[in-house]
């Protein structure tokens, strides 16, 4: 009997040390593993290198770790909702590896699948492939660290040569994810937009820690409905269905529209 349940978020993240690398699930504010993030904040872990689609907002999601200056480097595809992120990046306090969204997803999936790298057309002819994108600034605004030149090769596609850029896979020390349901074997089911990046982040972490709203017994989940098999999950914590959830931008239609 494989029981991966842990008694609390605090216990589950207790061995994440300073300087660790993390893959964190979530898309915008959907599916943010907030209980695990807050537990990590409370224990004081710092100098983190985090891979996530975005960095939350100023007071939610990964934004709470950023505001406490616990993150050394972010690898993300979208960073436009966090003013503190902008401030830290432009002042040289934070390193950023900006990555196209689909490429970031595939880098995580490849890492979790044991694939070292892959060739993609995304980024060919831009600084993504040619290098020079600022990763970290000096306090005076000059570039301290720039992205490197990547290998570009030509492959024949539909009878025509096309250029592709080599992207290396991502693996991390830990991954933190949120799921709607899970069982004690670690099998997970995600809800709608929360499925974006959570399964991929889970795959990339050498130790995957999952918070779930509802924990059930093995066999209760329909095998055909499982989005991520338990082989990728090492620790699971039940946080309840009433865990706070934030909406990034609430949009409503005008009355009568």
């Amino acid at each position: 009997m494989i029981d991966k349940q842990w008694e609390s978020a605090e216990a589950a993240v207790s061995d994440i040390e300073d300087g660790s690398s993390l893959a964190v699930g979530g898309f915008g504010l959907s599916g943010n593993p907030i209980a695990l993030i807050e537990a990590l904040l409370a224990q004081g872990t710092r100098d983190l290198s985090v891979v996530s689609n975005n960095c939350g907002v100023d007071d939610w999601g990964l934004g709470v770790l950023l505001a406490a200056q616990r993150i050394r480097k972010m690898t993300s595809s979208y960073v436009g909702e966090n003013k503190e992120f902008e401030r830290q990046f432009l002042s040289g306090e934070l390193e950023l590896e900006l990555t196209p969204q689909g490429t970031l997803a595939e880098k995580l999936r490849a890492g979790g699948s044991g694939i070292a790298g892959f060739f993609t057309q995304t980024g060919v002819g831009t600084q993504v492939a040619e290098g020079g994108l600022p990763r970290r600034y000096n306090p005076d605004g000059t570039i301290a660290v720039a992205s490197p030149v990547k290998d570009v090769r030509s492959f024949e596609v539909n009878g025509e040569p096309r250029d592709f850029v080599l992207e290396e896979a991502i693996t991390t020390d830990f991954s933190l994810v949120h799921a709607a349901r899970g069982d004690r074997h670690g099998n997970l089911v995600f809800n709608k937009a929360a499925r974006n990046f959570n399964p991929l982040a889970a795959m990339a972490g050498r130790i995957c820690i999952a918070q779930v709203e509802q924990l059930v017994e093995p066999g209760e989940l329909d095998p055909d409905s499982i989005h991520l098999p338990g082989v990728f999950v090492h620790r699971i914590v039940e946080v309840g269905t009433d865990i706070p959830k934030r909406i990034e931008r609430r949009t409503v239609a005008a009355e009568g529209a």
Side-chain angles (χ1 to χ4, degrees):
M1 184 65 179
I2 302 173
D3 189 348
K4 299 178 180 179
Q5 182 179 9
W6 285 54
E7 65 273 20
S8 67
E10 291 76 15
V13 303
S14 61
D15 59 344
I16 300 181
E17 301 177 341
D18 292 353
S20 295
S21 58
L22 307 176
V24 181
F27 188 76
L29 297 186
S30 298
N32 282 207
I34 191 62
L36 299 174
I37 290 171
E38 290 181 337
L40 197 58
L41 174 70
Q43 77 178 30
T45 309
R46 60 182 60 253
D47 197 32
L48 296 168
S49 177
V50 179
V51 182
S52 187
N53 178 64
N54 53 284
C55 197
V57 292
D58 290 299
D59 61 348
W60 191 254
L62 285 170
V64 300
L65 288 174
L66 186 74
Q69 296 190 315
R70 304 293 179 78
I71 300 177
R72 176 187 62 83
K73 178 184 178 182
M74 280 296 305
T75 301
S76 298
S77 74
Y78 178 68
V79 295
E81 298 294 334
N82 193 315
K83 293 181 180 178
E84 176 61 12
F85 191 109
E86 177 184 5
R87 188 200 67 77
Q88 289 191 24
F89 178 53
L90 295 179
S91 66
E93 300 171 42
L94 177 70
E95 184 175 342
L96 168 64
E97 186 171 345
L98 196 59
T99 305
Q101 192 170 82
T103 300
L104 180 61
E106 182 62 11
K107 284 163 78 77
L108 290 165
R109 191 202 69 82
S113 302
I115 298 170
F118 57 92
F119 283 93
T120 175
Q121 287 185 279
T122 303
V124 171
T126 74
Q127 286 183 298
V128 170
E130 297 168 359
L133 276 174
R135 287 191 174 177
R136 184 167 59 81
Y137 285 101
N138 291 308
D140 64 1
T142 57
I143 297 174
V145 178
S147 64
V149 177
K150 296 179 180 178
D151 184 20
V152 175
R153 289 181 56 187
S154 179
F155 294 88
E156 187 172 300
V157 179
N158 296 326
E160 297 181 0
R162 296 184 182 177
D163 286 341
F164 291 75
V165 58
L166 175 64
E167 293 285 357
E168 296 183 5
I170 291 175
T171 56
T172 57
D173 300 322
F174 295 88
S175 56
L176 309 179
V177 300
H178 173 94
R181 303 181 73 201
D183 63 27
R184 289 186 292 108
H185 286 178
N187 299 302
L188 301 180
V189 176
F190 303 93
N191 184 35
K192 298 181 174 67
R195 191 174 174 185
N196 289 330
F197 280 96
N198 266 301
L200 304 172
M203 293 173 64
R206 296 183 183 92
I207 297 176
C208 172
I209 308 171
Q211 65 171 58
V212 298
E213 297 178 39
Q214 182 183 13
L215 188 64
V216 302
E217 292 300 311
E220 290 189 41
L221 297 177
D222 177 1
D224 282 339
S225 298
I226 291 171
H227 297 140
L228 185 75
V231 67
F232 291 108
V233 179
H234 305 87
R235 304 171 189 173
I236 192 165
V237 178
E238 187 174 23
V239 295
T241 57
D242 59 347
I243 189 168
K245 299 174 185 177
R246 290 274 298 273
I247 296 174
E248 197 164 4
R249 292 193 180 192
R250 187 182 297 273
T251 303
V252 296
E255 186 174 356

